[in-house]
Amino acid sequence: MAQTRSFKEYVANHFYNDLFAAVSDFLDENHQNLNISSQHVRSVDGVELSDITVKHVYVDSLPGMKIAFDVLLEADMEISEEDRHNDRFDEKSDWFKISCSGDLSCNLDDFMISHVEQYSNRNQQNNPLSDNLVPIIKKDQLETVARSFLEQHYPEALYEPTPMDPNLIAQRMGLSVELRHITSDFSTFGQMFFVDSDAEYYDKETETFVSVEVKQGTIFVDPDAYFLRNLGSVNNTIIHECVHWDKHRKAFELERLYNENATQIKCLVVGGVRDAKIWSPTDWMEWQANSLTPRIQMPFTQAKIKATEIIQDYSRRFPGSALIDIMEPVIDEMALFFGVSRMAAKIRMIDLGFEEAIGTFTYIDGRYVRPHSFKKGALERNQTFSISERDAIVESSLNPALHAKISSGNYLFVDSHFCINDEKYVTTDDNNSPRLTTYARHHIDECCLLFELSVSKSANKYGQQFYTECVLYRDATSDIVFEASYKDSKINSDVDAHAQAINAYTKELSEVLQKMPGGFSNAFVYLMEWKEITVEKLAETCSLSPKTIQRLRTTDDYVPTIESVVAICIALQLPPVLSDELIRRSPCSLGTGEKHLTYKFMLSTCNTKPIHECNDMLQKLGFGPLTKEQ
């Protein structure tokens, strides 16, 4: 189906006489009731039709190969008024709507006109077809269309999560499936034959093409040419071809009206249309088949039930795990259960609302990017936090906005991300190489810059559209090359403000360390002044008496307990680096025993909690409270 066929043109060329006669008869019978204004003719006594021009044809798909269509045409005519003194004439044009129907399986030989009227408004089509007789399906209608397909051909898949048998679907639709090597280079993964015909398949043993007779409704599936090389295999291809049979037979019959030798639709693995901005009927048919197939294989409600079941199972097996940390095995189990590819399962999980799947199974620069997650709704479909080294170099060099941010020293390029340079987000592995912390991977939108992705190279236009429509998915085998570009956005503004705040705080801590006087008492007084807290308030906060606090401030030879010093550090909410320094200057020290290790943990991770919560933690672990004074 290389050429674009127009049903409007076919109607205009083949049914001109019928349409002309219908309008002419309508004018003869209804000329006195026409809504036509004329300065010369006050009362229309006669009408002579001279020509018609078909302007639009609106097609509604009916069961089988039948169609109903409204033809909107412009009629040129001469109206006249009979007067006892003088006949008056005027040339006018007006629009008319002719309601028609016919059956494509008999080449519209049963074409029939059921109604003619002066045009005022168009009818609403229940199942509209384009001018090329391709179904008009919007993106938000895909789930409904897929469900309707299953209700007709495989209703059991809508009762409970069910692995689908594509051969049974084909059988119920009256189709037969044959595994054939279609081409020598695997450039075609499937063929649907719409009429009885002679076909060729590639014999790998003799390395020649062999001719064979095929019946209408035969599907050729190449077992070696997997759909886009990573979207699935035979199961996917069979459903894909079944969608063509169900949705695109009328478009094919339109092609047959123009070219009686047409026999099949071939679905290519590589190739496509030259201009990706202009969509041909073939493009729309492939987009529909690509988009509907995974929705048919994994029906929305049942797939969500199964996904939830698998997630609950993994959550029981690995208690305390974040969803992002179990999402990859969940996707693999979904793929195994429904008999689809990993990529198809991942994309479907995103459709189902599990956005954690976006950060899984990503490969960049030939390396695996560990799973990461972000706030729900943070990403558009063409956005990412993960970019290649090449894009990182190019964008940070040529993009002034990004260059300024990177030059500040606030960011490191770690694990394919531009991440805030802070120990909360960046750590090192056993080889002393920087890596994102677990917290950073679970809150990637808090600490990493966001980029927009576009496809820069793709061997397959249909594959490109599938990737970009569903999710910008980058796996280890895809031939699609993406380019990332940095643009200002709310996320990037928030991340950069956070980075600057961290950087400013780090500088402040550095200054505090430099200015901190020697000796415990002097350092203690300095830190209280920095925190702007009074003796009375600190005493209340750390459960020590004001007298004890005052002694620590003024008496150099007063020896506090390590518990009192730890309590003071927590009450002052000191960062770990300042807590360590104050303890180092005190007459106390932290050892390696279990209790002191617990103190170190609290100073590092609980330094913003109230003292009573820290005491509760200690008591649960069998230790006494840090302080008892009132």
Side-chain angles (χ1 to χ4, degrees), residues 405 408 410-411 420 449 491-501:
K405 289 175 173 55
S408 68
N410 292 343
Y411 298 91
I420 294 176
L449 295 176
I491 287 180
N492 284 336
S493 296
D494 291 346
V495 169
D496 200 50
H498 188 43
Q500 293 180 33

Side-chain angles (χ1 to χ4, degrees), residues 173-296:
M173 296 176 69
L175 309 175
S176 61
V177 178
E178 297 184 16
L179 296 181
R180 301 278 192 179
H181 296 288
I182 302 170
T183 58
S184 58
D185 59 358
F186 310 132
S187 61
T188 302
F189 66 86
Q191 277 180 287
M192 165 58 71
F193 293 89
F194 288 90
V195 295
D196 296 347
S197 60
D198 292 329
E200 286 187 340
Y201 68 91
Y202 182 72
D203 190 320
K204 294 180 68 173
E205 294 184 1
T206 62
E207 297 184 351
T208 60
F209 285 92
V210 178
S211 179
V212 62
E213 292 184 1
V214 295
K215 296 292 185 181
Q216 171 183 296
T218 299
I219 298 173
F220 277 5
V221 176
D222 194 321
D224 291 339
Y226 289 172
F227 179 41
L228 296 178
R229 290 197 289 275
N230 51 23
L231 282 182
S233 55
V234 173
N235 288 355
N236 182 286
T237 301
I238 294 172
I239 300 297
H240 183 102
E241 299 302 328
C242 288
V243 171
H244 278 318
W245 179 265
D246 186 69
K247 301 299 178 188
H248 304 137
R249 290 173 66 195
K250 288 170 180 171
F252 177 78
E253 286 301 327
L254 176 60
E255 172 68 20
R256 290 265 296 168
L257 293 176
Y258 281 93
N259 173 20
E260 63 180 11
N261 294 320
T263 61
Q264 63 198 268
I265 287 180
K266 290 186 178 181
C267 298
L268 305 181
V269 173
V270 296
V273 180
R274 295 177 184 175
D275 189 347
K277 296 180 181 179
I278 301 175
W279 278 51
S280 71
T282 303
D283 296 334
W284 284 113
M285 287 190 287
E286 286 305 307
W287 176 81
Q288 290 172 3
N290 288 345
S291 301
L292 288 170
T293 296
R295 289 170 168 83
I296 291 169

